[in-house]
Amino acid sequence: MHIDFCFIDSQERLIATGWSLESDPGLGLQIGAERLAPLVLERHARQDLRSSEPFGWIAVFALGEVAGAGEEPIFLESQGAVAEIAPDRLFEDEPRLVEIGVDEVFAAYVRLVAAGAIGVPGEDPARLVRLRLRARQVSALEADDFALSVDRCQVSPSGEGLIVGWFLGAGAGGAPLVALAMDARQVVPVTLAANSLRRDDLHAYAPRYRFTGTDGFCGAFRLPEPPEGPVRVILMPPGEEGMLLAAPAEPQPPARIARSFCEIAPGLADAAQRQALRRVLVPPTMPDLPAEPPPTDAPAGAGVLLILDHDLSDCDLRDVLRKLLADIDGPVQLHLLRPAMSPVLEQALRGADHEEGSGRLTLAAVSLTAMTPLSAARRVVFGRSSTLFQMDLAPLLAAAAPAAALVLDPIGTIDGAMSPAALLQRFERDVLPFAAAIDGALFASLLRRAPRGFLTLEAQLRLLLEGLAATGGLDLRRADMHRYFAGRAGPHAETFPGALDWHAWDAATRRLMAEASQ
C-alpha cells in the first residue's frame, strides 16, 4: 500500500491519497473498534507511474460520529496491509498535497473540494490552491473531449456571484463539470446546475460533441467575506485533469445579481435546482444581533440625520421635506437613498430649503447605502417617503428610548387589543412599513453589524431592530392608520422578472435566512 498524503479537512473528514495496482484496493479506516468504509473513492491515472491505468486513488472518510476519533490511533487498511497514520500528518499534509502533489492528485483534490466532498481549505492551503490554480489556467474553450463557454459571470461587492454558460462533452455520463470561485484570499465551491438550460443554438456542435438541447448550465457562489481583489471562477471539465478554465467575474451591484438570477430562474425546469441556487446567495446563518440593551451614555451629536428612501415621484420630494421639516426640530442633514440626484430632485430640495427659510436643511449624501460617518448626528430618522408623509411622527420623535420604531399595522389598528409581542411578530413576519428614530451613535454601531445579502438598507435595519426588540432596547409602537398608499417609484420599486421588487427580494432572503438558522 502506497500512501502519499493523509489529512483531516474543515468538515472533520479524513482524506487519504495514494496509489495501488489493484483494481479494488479495499480501503478501510480503523479507529479503535470502528472500521469505516470510504464515503468517496475516486481513481485516476498518474503520469509519474508511467501508465494510463487509473492506479491513483483519493478516499474520503467521515470521522464525525466516531468515538475517540481525536484520541485513538488511526490505521489505513488495504488488501490486508495496515499502516498507522502519524498524528502530525493529519494537520500538515493538506498544504503539502497542494504544494508538491503531482498534477493528477491535485486535480482530484480540487474537484472534490468543488463538489463539496472535501471541506473548503483553511487559510494556508487555500493560498497555495490559488497560486497553483493560477499557474495552470488556460483560455482555450474547445478541446477534443469538450467545448465550454461562459456567457455571464458576475459578483457583487458583498461576495454573491452567478455564472451562466454551456458545456458539451464528447460522450455520455462521466464525471460532472465542477467549479471553484476564488479571490485573493478565499476559495469556495460553486453550486452548479448542469444540463439545466435550453440551448438549441448549439446544434451545430452535434457532429463533434454530444448535444442534448439542454446543455446550458448556471451556478451560484457566495464568498464568506467581501471580495479582495479580482474574483475568478475556475471551471474543471471532466476527464481533463490538466485543464482549468478561468472566467473573470465582472463586479456588479447586488440588484444586478438579483435581476440576473430572476432572468435565469424561469429557464430552470427543476424547482429544487432553483431553490438550491437561490439559497447559495443567502447568508447561511442569521447575523449576530445585539445581545445586550444598547448603551445610552454615548456622546450626543448635533441635529438629525434623515435617511430617506424616496419612493414617490421626484417632484413629490418637496412636499415630503416640507412636512418633515415641520415635524423635526433643529438642523436636518438629508441622506437620500438614490443612486444620483436628478434635476427634478435638486429643484425640489432647493425649493424645500428656500420655503423653510432658516437654512436648516443640508444634503449630506446621495447613495443607496448608508456608509457615511453617522456619529455626528444626535438622532437618525429613517423611513420611506410614502410612510413618513402619511404617518403622524410626533410619538416617534418624542420617544425617549435610544431606538424607536413606528409600524403601520392595519390589522392591529382594527384589533386595538393586540399585544406588543404580537406586534413584534407581525413586524418580523409580514414586512410591515415602518419609520425609525435611533440615537446617532447607536445607529453607527448597528450599521457595522448590518448583514450582507440584502438589497435595501430597510431590510438590514429591520433585522437589526428585531435584535434590539428582543433585548428590550426598542420602543415599538403602532401607527393607527386605516388607509395607506404605498410608494411605487424610485430604484427600490424596480421590478425583476417574476414581479419581484427589491423589497420582495429582501423579504424572500429574510425567510431563507431564518430557515437556514433553524
Side-chain angles (χ1 to χ4, degrees):
M1 176 171 51
H2 302 273
I3 304 171
D4 295 326
F5 305 99
C6 191
F7 60 89
I8 295 176
D9 73 357
S10 58
Q11 301 297 322
E12 293 298 315
R13 303 179 185 124
L14 186 141
I15 291 83
T17 74
W19 61 273
S20 172
L21 300 180
E22 303 291 339
S23 59
D24 179 8
L27 290 172
L29 200 66
Q30 191 75 38
I31 305 176
E34 296 272 359
R35 189 182 191 280
L36 304 177
L39 288 176
V40 177
L41 175 62
E42 291 197 356
R43 305 298 298 270
H44 49 266
R46 288 179 46 165
Q47 292 184 7
D48 62 321
L49 299 179
R50 303 296 188 268
S51 173
S52 60
E53 294 296 321
F55 292 145
W57 54 260
I58 182 168
V60 180
F61 299 87
L63 300 181
E65 301 299 325
V66 179
E71 303 170 1
E72 296 280 352
I74 298 177
F75 299 90
L76 190 63
E77 301 177 357
S78 174
Q79 298 290 346
V82 179
E84 182 176 358
I85 306 300
D88 57 337
R89 296 189 64 178
L90 299 177
F91 305 99
E92 296 176 359
D93 268 13
E94 186 172 18
R96 290 181 63 247
L97 181 156
V98 176
E99 191 168 21
I100 65 173
V102 297
D103 286 346
E104 294 85 358
V105 173
F106 174 71
Y109 163 77
V110 293
R111 283 186 63 85
L112 289 179
V113 171
I118 296 177
V120 174
E123 183 176 349
D124 287 341
R127 176 180 54 81
L128 296 171
V129 166
R130 291 191 302 272
L131 292 174
R132 189 159 177 180
L133 287 176
R134 285 172 181 162
R136 301 177 65 225
Q137 293 170 16
V138 297
S139 57
L141 297 180
E142 291 190 28
D144 292 339
D145 296 335
F146 73 90
L148 172 64
S149 180
V150 174
D151 301 323
R152 183 187 312 178
C153 188
Q154 303 170 328
V155 67
S156 75
S158 55
E160 298 86 16
L162 290 172
I163 184 168
V164 182
W166 55 266
F167 174 78
L168 294 169
L177 178 72
V178 294
L180 292 171
M182 66 181 190
D183 67 357
R185 56 187 175 83
Q186 303 173 92
V187 176
V188 296
V190 177
T191 298
L192 284 179
N195 303 111
S196 58
L197 298 175
R198 293 292 307 178
R199 292 301 304 259
D200 295 326
D201 57 314
L202 301 177
H203 68 276
Y205 284 93
R208 187 175 176 188
Y209 305 107
R210 181 175 180 267
F211 169 73
T212 66
T214 56
D215 302 294
F217 68 83
C218 57
F221 62 90
R222 187 175 191 278
L223 297 172
E225 300 292 336
E228 182 177 306
V231 176
R232 295 176 176 83
V233 174
I234 310 301
L235 294 149
M236 289 163 271
E240 290 287 343
E241 281 81 3
M243 189 169 290
L244 304 172
L245 296 109
E250 180 184 3
Q252 292 286 350
R256 184 65 187 121
I257 303 296
R259 170 171 284 279
S260 293
F261 178 84
C262 292
E263 291 169 351
I264 297 164
L268 293 168
D270 189 338
Q273 286 183 329
R274 287 198 303 270
Q275 192 74 347
L277 292 177
R278 179 67 176 91
R279 287 184 183 278
V280 173
L281 301 176
V282 174
T285 59
M286 294 288 282
D288 292 331
L289 300 178
E292 300 177 356
T296 57
D297 56 352
V304 169
L305 175 64
L306 172 63
I307 301 179
L308 188 63
D309 176 3
H310 187 59
D311 60 345
L312 303 174
S313 299
D314 287 6
C315 60
D316 291 330
L317 178 62
R318 182 169 181 168
D319 293 331
V320 174
L321 291 176
R322 181 191 301 119
K323 190 237 185 214
L324 294 176
L325 288 172
D327 291 339
I328 299 172
D329 295 328
V332 176
Q333 301 177 64
L334 174 63
H335 183 129
L336 195 62
L337 292 178
R338 286 290 184 96
M341 289 290 283
S342 69
V344 176
L345 288 173
E346 291 178 351
Q347 185 177 2
L349 181 63
R350 287 195 300 269
D353 186 45
H354 177 75
E355 208 174 289
E356 210 282 332
S358 64
R360 289 194 297 130
L361 178 64
T362 58
L363 182 63
V366 181
S367 84
L368 292 175
T369 57
M371 300 306 294
T372 55
L374 300 172
S375 58
R378 173 182 54 84
R379 197 79 163 163
V380 175
V381 175
F382 169 86
R384 303 185 199 181
S385 285
S386 58
T387 303
L388 296 174
F389 188 75
Q390 296 176 75
M391 280 184 173
D392 177 10
L393 299 180
L396 179 71
L397 299 174
L406 195 59
V407 179
L408 173 69
D409 182 11
I411 293 178
T413 299
I414 296 172
D415 180 12
M418 182 175 288
S419 67
L423 176 61
L424 175 60
Q425 184 180 43
R426 282 183 43 73
F427 175 66
E428 297 173 354
R429 183 191 65 206
D430 298 335
V431 197
L432 301 177
F434 72 96
I438 306 171
D439 283 355
L442 173 60
F443 188 89
S445 174
L446 290 175
L447 196 61
R448 288 191 289 271
R449 300 172 181 256
R452 296 186 296 137
F454 290 114
L455 304 184
T456 66
L457 177 63
E458 177 179 302
Q460 293 176 318
L461 188 57
R462 184 188 302 274
L463 197 56
L464 294 168
L465 291 177
E466 291 174 19
L468 290 179
T471 62
L474 178 67
D475 182 356
L476 186 65
R477 306 186 185 192
R478 184 181 67 244
D480 288 329
M481 297 171 54
H482 293 88
R483 289 186 178 183
Y484 175 77
F485 299 95
R488 292 288 185 266
H492 297 161
E494 174 193 3
T495 303
F496 303 139
L500 290 178
D501 65 7
W502 292 30
H503 296 294
W505 174 272
D506 280 346
T509 296
R510 171 67 175 79
R511 289 194 297 272
L512 291 172
M513 288 175 66
E515 291 173 7
S517 299
Q518 291 176 354

